[in-house]
């Protein structure tokens, strides 16, 4: 009978676990009660917030206004950069074309040069996009009087160098175990595919890195998925980001068409290849931008639409007149009218701002106008 009752209790516990929301819940152990919730819900836990401020750990609370650089500095993540050396494939170049110096090397973009190019061609810099990261708060309470015994932050942070899980221990006792599985997905046209998986397990967790997965960008876009399990004194908490597509990274770039790799996206001739070829230019070495497949379809010169044919006809007119600067301004204006296929940016000019600065510098060299005033 005791065994039957025990099995029944386990079955009830498993049923309750299955229906509990992943983002906020409480659990009891023999000695402690636990709460586990996302930091965005801190206002619903005023005594927890007061405890955090009393201990002087409020600066580690997630803020929606934190910039990537601030997050990296706060958690000392800049050391990850020195641990990762991208190879040629990660740089997005075709190895058999790297030595092509038809019109010189790809220019380095200084802040002064960026400002000059933006002013010359009317580039609009996008609003700063904050890279999303999750933060959970685990609260340990005294089972008798419900007083707070300890609090841990658990952070999941994505940078251009990889994915890091951080812990902040506000009290003295380490957290029992944090384990899980990470997956990296690369985008290929419209599809996502798993390209790497990593498991980790760490016991007696104190403040610092729980696990860092150095994984540089090698696709036009990628994202990280995780399943995390946190255990302490017999209590277990789980969290995942399945189907959320947060922790998404872009790898846009600009270079000569024959050097640039598509990396699951497409190479967009800044001035269309058809217009260039028709006027005697070598389109194979013309400046191009690595784009998402769907974004490329939205560019004004793509395809056989009536508007695309008209756009390319106007490009040819500028080329015939050798009015190259006006041609480049025309290309920028066209991208300002082109929609972001993902709906995150106002237009493609803002989405690809950094790459457009580079492609405009390349275009000046390609058309021989970089020294013209």
């Amino acid at each position: 009978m005791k065994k039957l009752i025990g099995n029944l209790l386990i079955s009830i516990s498993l049923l309750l676990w299955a229906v509990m929301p992943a983002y906020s819940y409480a659990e009891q152990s023999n000695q402690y009660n636990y709460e586990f919730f996302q930091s965005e819900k801190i206002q619903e836990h005023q005594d927890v917030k007061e405890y955090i401020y009393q201990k002087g750990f409020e600066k580690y609370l997630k803020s929606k206004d934190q910039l990537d650089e601030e997050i990296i500095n706060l958690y000392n993540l800049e050391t990850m950069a020195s641990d990762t050396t991208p190879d040629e494939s990660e740089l997005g170049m075709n190895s058999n074309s790297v030595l092509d110096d038809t019109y010189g090397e790809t220019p380095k973009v200084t802040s002064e040069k960026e400002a000059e190019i933006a002013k010359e061609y009317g580039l609009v810099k996008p609003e700063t996009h904050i890279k999303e990261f999750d933060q959970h708060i685990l609260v340990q309470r005294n089972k008798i009087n419900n007083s707070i015994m300890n609090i841990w932050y658990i952070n999941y942070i994505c940078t251009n160098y990889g994915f890091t899980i951080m812990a902040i221990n506000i009290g003295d006792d380490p957290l029992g175990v944090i384990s899980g599985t990470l997956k990296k997905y690369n985008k290929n046209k419209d599809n996502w595919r798993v390209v790497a998986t990593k498991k980790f397990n760490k016991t007696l967790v104190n403040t610092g890195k729980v696990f860092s997965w150095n994984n540089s960008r090698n696709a036009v876009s990628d994202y990280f998925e995780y399943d995390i399990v946190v255990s302490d004194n017999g209590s277990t908490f789980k969290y995942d980001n399945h189907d959320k597509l947060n922790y998404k990274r872009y790898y846009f770039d600009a270079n000569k068409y024959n050097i640039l790799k598509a990396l699951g996206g497409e190479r967009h001739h800044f001035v269309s290849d058809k217009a260039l070829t028709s006027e005697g230019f070598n389109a194979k070495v013309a400046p191009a931008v690595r784009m998402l497949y769907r974004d490329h379809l939205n560019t004004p010169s793509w395809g056989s639409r009536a508007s695309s044919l008209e756009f390319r006809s106007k490009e040819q007119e500028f080329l015939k007149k050798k009015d190259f600067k006006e041609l480049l301004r025309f290309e920028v204006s066209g991208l300002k009218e082109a929609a972001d296929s993902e709906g995150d940016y106002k237009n493609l000019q803002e989405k690809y701002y950094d790459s457009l600065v580079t492609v405009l510098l390349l275009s000046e060299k390609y058309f021989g106008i970089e020294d013209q005033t």
Side-chain angles (χ1 to χ4, degrees):
M1 178 63 72
K2 289 183 179 179
K3 184 175 181 180
L4 178 61
I5 293 174
N7 289 337
L8 180 61
L9 289 174
I10 291 173
S11 298
I12 293 173
S13 298
L14 290 173
L15 178 61
L16 289 173
W17 170 258
V19 299
M20 278 185 177
Y23 55 84
S24 178
Y25 48 85
E27 187 168 314
Q28 297 183 0
S29 70
N30 292 331
Q31 301 177 20
Y32 306 105
N33 294 336
Y34 288 89
E35 297 170 19
F36 190 55
F37 57 90
Q38 288 180 301
S39 59
E40 288 87 347
K41 295 183 176 293
I42 189 68
Q43 299 301 333
E44 300 173 14
H45 304 264
Q46 283 299 313
D47 62 334
V48 174
K49 182 178 178 181
E50 291 173 6
Y51 187 94
I52 288 171
Y53 275 73
Q54 288 172 2
K55 294 291 185 178
F57 282 79
E58 67 276 7
K59 74 175 183 178
Y60 294 104
L61 275 173
K62 176 184 174 181
S63 168
K64 65 179 181 179
D65 297 322
Q66 281 176 305
L67 301 176
D68 292 351
E69 184 177 349
E70 294 173 335
I71 295 169
I72 289 171
N73 290 336
L74 181 63
Y75 295 106
N76 195 31
L77 296 177
E78 68 274 5
T79 55
M80 290 186 67
S82 61
D83 297 334
T84 307
T85 303
D87 60 22
E88 232 169 49
S89 65
E90 292 172 326
L91 292 172
M93 298 186 297
N94 290 316
S95 58
N96 61 351
S97 303
V98 171
L99 298 180
D100 185 314
D101 61 350
T102 309
Y103 50 98
E105 297 297 322
T106 303
K108 292 184 179 179
V109 180
T110 64
S111 57
E112 294 79 9
K113 182 60 71 173
E114 175 192 341
E116 178 186 323
I117 288 292
K119 181 179 180 181
E120 181 70 35
Y121 296 104
L123 289 179
V124 177
K125 196 165 189 174
E127 295 179 2
T128 302
H129 277 233
I130 307 302
K131 192 169 285 149
E132 184 176 353
F133 81 98
D134 283 341
Q135 180 181 74
H136 284 97
I137 297 176
L138 179 61
V139 183
Q140 183 189 67
R141 294 181 181 273
N142 184 293
K143 195 169 186 178
I144 297 175
N145 59 22
N146 206 40
S147 61
I148 295 174
M149 304 298 293
N150 204 352
I151 294 177
W152 298 272
Y153 298 146
I154 303 169
N155 301 323
Y156 318 98
I157 304 171
C158 177
T159 70
N160 286 341
Y161 305 111
F163 192 87
T164 299
I165 299 169
M166 298 283 302
I168 303 291
N169 185 358
I170 294 181
D172 298 320
D173 295 332
L175 189 58
V177 181
I178 299 180
S179 61
T181 301
L182 304 176
K183 293 181 179 179
K184 179 176 177 282
Y185 290 76
N186 280 359
K187 190 158 196 177
N188 185 13
K189 294 292 182 72
D190 284 329
N191 301 313
W192 294 99
R193 61 186 182 91
V194 178
V195 294
T197 302
K198 201 80 170 179
K199 293 182 181 293
F200 70 93
N201 185 86
K202 185 167 184 178
T203 59
L204 300 177
V205 179
N206 273 302
T207 296
K209 292 180 185 178
V210 176
F211 182 74
S212 289
W213 189 17
N214 292 353
N215 204 314
S216 295
R217 299 168 296 166
N218 55 11
V220 66
S221 183
D222 64 16
Y223 78 94
F224 291 94
E225 182 181 85
Y226 57 80
D227 290 273
I228 305 294
V229 180
V230 179
S231 301
D232 193 61
N233 288 306
S235 294
T236 300
F237 309 89
K238 297 181 179 180
Y239 188 73
D240 66 68
N241 68 330
H242 294 179
D243 302 319
K244 290 186 178 180
L245 279 184
N246 52 1
Y247 302 106
K248 184 169 61 175
R249 305 184 298 182
Y250 294 125
Y251 190 15
F252 305 145
D253 201 2
N255 211 318
K256 302 166 192 176
Y257 184 85
N258 65 325
I259 291 179
L260 193 66
K261 276 188 175 181
L263 298 182
E266 290 195 342
R267 296 171 292 172
H268 167 63
H269 277 93
F270 188 55
V271 178
S272 70
D273 58 342
K274 290 185 178 179
L276 290 170
T277 302
S278 69
E279 298 305 317
F281 290 87
N282 185 353
K284 291 183 179 179
V285 297
V289 176
R290 180 188 301 128
M291 286 186 166
L292 296 175
Y293 166 64
R294 289 290 168 182
D295 284 345
H296 191 204
L297 270 55
N298 286 349
T299 57
S301 62
W302 185 91
S304 57
R305 300 170 299 221
S307 60
S308 301
L309 296 174
E310 182 181 355
F311 190 90
R312 293 199 295 268
S313 177
K314 290 180 179 178
E315 287 179 322
Q316 286 180 249
E317 291 177 16
F318 285 117
L319 290 169
K320 287 179 187 296
K321 296 176 183 177
K322 300 190 185 305
D323 196 351
F324 300 125
K325 281 203 171 183
E326 283 305 313
L327 169 62
L328 300 184
R329 293 188 184 101
F330 177 67
E331 301 295 345
V332 170
S333 296
L335 292 175
K336 286 180 179 179
E337 300 299 320
D340 171 14
S341 65
E342 298 177 306
D344 295 327
Y345 289 80
K346 292 178 181 178
N347 52 57
L348 293 187
Q349 184 266 284
E350 293 194 18
K351 185 173 186 176
Y352 290 88
Y353 173 87
D354 291 332
S355 296
L356 291 182
V357 172
T358 302
V359 85
L360 283 163
L361 284 169
L362 277 170
S363 296
E364 287 189 340
K365 294 170 71 69
Y366 179 77
F367 290 114
I369 61 172
E370 70 271 22
D371 297 323
Q372 294 181 11
T373 56

